[in-house]
Amino acid sequence: PAPAPPCRVKRVPSPIPSSPWWLSRPALVAAAGAVPFCAIFVETFFLFSALWSYRVYYVYGTLALVLAILTIVTACVSVVATYALLNAAEDWRWPWFSFGTGASVGGWVFAYAGHYFVTKTRMSGLFQTAFFFGHSAMLCLGLAGAMGAVGHLAASAFVRRIYRGVKCD
């Protein structure tokens, strides 16, 4: 079924005013992905060490806690970025933006994978490089999809909550 908005909307979309560079959609998405990545940075090193440096990973409880923290931080950052987009930038196109704010953490993890490949591994050759980046890309795409869904669901609940009280005559 078609989504039902919480209040009546105009048929003609409002024009979006120009905004400074820090309120542009790419800048907000990149900044929104950096915050959850900072929350999981240390654990990402241990995960990559277990996957690519043949170290034993044995702190699964910590991994579950970090995943919970990642989910909460991604939801909060997505809500804040969506609010900044709606209020400060006056941009009404929030649904894919909210997905992008959550999914951008996957891009940050993939950038860290490139850093990890250069600084911590001794892999060389086309096959090893393609294997490393192919598996890292699949991992990061899965993470991006999951965190994008978390970001969109949190922003959707937030938008429905704030516009529920709008009275239209």
Side-chain angles (χ1 to χ4, degrees):
C7 63
R8 207 169 58 210
V9 294
K10 294 188 294 185
R11 291 185 184 266
V12 179
S14 302
I16 299 168
S18 62
S19 58
W21 68 270
W22 63 85
L23 286 176
S24 67
R25 295 163 70 89
L28 283 173
V29 166
V35 175
F37 175 72
C38 289
I40 64 166
F41 173 71
V42 173
E43 194 67 24
T44 306
F45 169 76
F46 290 118
L47 269 177
F48 276 116
S49 294
L51 289 173
W52 301 111
S53 297
Y54 304 109
R55 295 199 176 124
V56 177
Y57 188 81
Y58 52 88
V59 284
Y60 296 108
T62 306
L63 181 64
L65 180 66
V66 168
L67 181 63
I69 290 170
L70 173 65
T71 303
I72 293 167
V73 169
T74 301
C76 292
V77 166
S78 180
V79 165
V80 169
T82 302
Y83 181 74
L85 187 78
L86 289 172
N87 190 26
E90 298 179 20
D91 192 347
W92 48 267
R93 303 170 297 179
W94 65 269
W96 280 107
F97 172 79
S98 64
F99 182 85
T101 56
S104 65
V105 70
W108 283 94
V109 172
F110 190 73
Y112 178 73
H115 170 73
Y116 186 86
F117 179 79
V118 171
T119 59
K120 302 293 182 196
T121 65
R122 289 178 286 179
M123 295 183 191
S124 62
L126 179 65
F127 181 72
Q128 287 181 335
T129 304
F131 187 78
F132 179 86
F133 283 107
H135 279 77
S136 295
M138 287 189 293
L139 173 79
C140 293
L141 282 174
L143 179 68
M147 291 302 112
V150 166
H152 178 70
L153 290 173
S156 178
F158 170 73
V159 167
R160 290 192 180 283
R161 177 80 177 141
I162 64 170
Y163 286 114
R164 186 181 310 154
V166 173
K167 303 291 184 206
C168 294
D169 294 332

